[in-house]
Amino acid sequence: LVSFEHGAGRVVLDDFDCNNLFCSPTGVLYLLPVGGRVIQKLVALTLQTVVAAESLPAELQFVAVGICVTKDEVIYVLDVDDDNDIHRILRINPSESLKPTVVGQVPSDQTDLWSLFVTEAGTIYVLDQGERKVLAFRPGSTSAIEVLQCLDDF
């Protein structure tokens, strides 16, 4: 992982396995290591664990494939555990608690959930790469609506 500033790059991390990463609006880099069972953040060139799935009650443990962090450092993860038919969105607010809250259930027929994004207004968008569509969760709703279907021949 290389950081660029003033036209020059420097190595920040040189040995890590990462499935996904996200830079929060405040400039904090969050990472999902391979396996998706830990959320980490980069602090002064050191990876710190924010929350590990194994530290949570069994029903809230996660296998995160996507991450998004708001300007208030509230963490959203796309939890996809196909072995247990779990497809959900978890919200973690470290300033309040490390216990996740389920804020969305993704229909289990979605085949290849890949990433998510949360707007300032609180709408959560999820990309289903397999079905080639985007789902949206409006604030206060735990059910998805389809907002975009990609054409098969683009």
Side-chain angles (χ1 to χ4, degrees), residues 116-138:
L116 78 161
F117 184 80
V118 182
T119 68
E120 284 190 29
T123 299
I124 302 167
Y125 293 95
V126 175
L127 170 64
D128 181 346
Q129 186 172 323
E131 294 293 320
R132 302 168 59 98
K133 62 184 167 183
V134 176
L135 305 172
F137 294 83
R138 304 288 184 214

Side-chain angles (χ1 to χ4, degrees), residues 5 8 40 55 63 69 106 116 122 137 151:
E5 188 174 5
Q40 296 178 313
S55 69
V63 179
V69 183
V106 181
L116 78 161
F137 294 83
L151 302 174

Side-chain angles (χ1 to χ4, degrees), residues 21-71:
L21 55 90
F22 187 87
C23 186
S24 75
T26 61
V28 177
L29 187 64
Y30 287 82
L31 298 99
L32 296 176
V34 170
R37 303 199 47 82
V38 175
I39 299 169
Q40 296 178 313
K41 69 179 179 177
L42 188 64
V43 177
L45 302 180
T46 303
L47 282 176
Q48 293 182 355
T49 297
V50 177
V51 64
E54 65 186 22
S55 69
L56 299 169
E59 70 276 4
L60 292 176
Q61 291 186 7
F62 55 83
V63 179
V65 298
I67 185 168
C68 185
V69 183
T70 68
K71 66 180 179 184

